Amino acid sequence: DVQLQAFGGGAVQAGGSLTLSCATSGFPFDDYAIGWFRQAPGKKREGVSCTSVSAGMTYYADSVKGRFTMTSDNAKNTAYLQMSSLKPEDTAVYYCVADRWGFRQDYTLAASYDSWGQGTQVTVSS
């Protein structure tokens, strides 16, 4: 079965950096879309980024373009979200998600992902 484990959250000051990790198992890494969603108290869940190795495609929400970067280490079946120039509005629980690539209409939507990690808290102070 698909398993996802998110790590790397913490508390930083505005302008700082963090890198989140998503360790995966139970599926062929290259055949899946891997993504990150976030949710802050009182706000709707928002897509942050997603990628497909086989499609050579990576998506970033407008709010994080130029500041966040998804990378992966295929040998370790691990995806990363490198975050820099963090803002207080980036404060949220960040979730790693995964689903088979090529079967959904839109991989920027939370409903497209059947597998979710436990989430990791990111707090950015002003």
Side-chain angles (χ1 to χ4, degrees):
D1 292 340
V2 174
Q3 297 187 65
L4 307 171
Q5 189 76 257
F7 299 96
V12 298
Q13 293 185 345
S17 300
L18 282 174
T19 297
L20 307 183
S21 301
C22 178
T24 77
S25 63
F27 64 93
F29 190 83
D30 288 354
D31 293 339
Y32 272 60
I34 310 295
W36 293 91
F37 285 78
R38 66 186 183 186
Q39 188 164 23
K43 296 185 178 181
K44 66 182 299 185
R45 184 175 295 165
E46 298 180 331
V48 176
S49 184
C50 60
T51 189
S52 165
V53 174
S54 62
M57 180 183 304
T58 304
Y59 162 85
Y60 299 98
D62 288 342
S63 59
V64 306
K65 284 181 179 178
R67 301 189 298 118
F68 291 12
T69 302
M70 279 200 71
T71 61
S72 63
D73 185 339
N74 291 357
K76 297 181 179 179
N77 293 333
T78 300
Y80 305 93
L81 183 66
Q82 300 173 347
M83 307 184 295
S84 62
S85 301
L86 284 162
K87 305 174 181 180
E89 48 263 46
D90 295 319
T91 296
V93 176
Y94 284 71
Y95 298 91
C96 180
V97 301
D99 212 304
R100 291 176 295 173
W101 175 254
F103 294 89
R104 305 287 194 174
Q105 296 298 119
D106 186 352
Y107 283 88
T108 69
L109 302 178
S112 294
Y113 297 91
D114 286 338
S115 300
W116 289 69
Q118 86 285 4
T120 185
Q121 177 72 47
V122 173
T123 302
V124 185
S125 60
S126 60

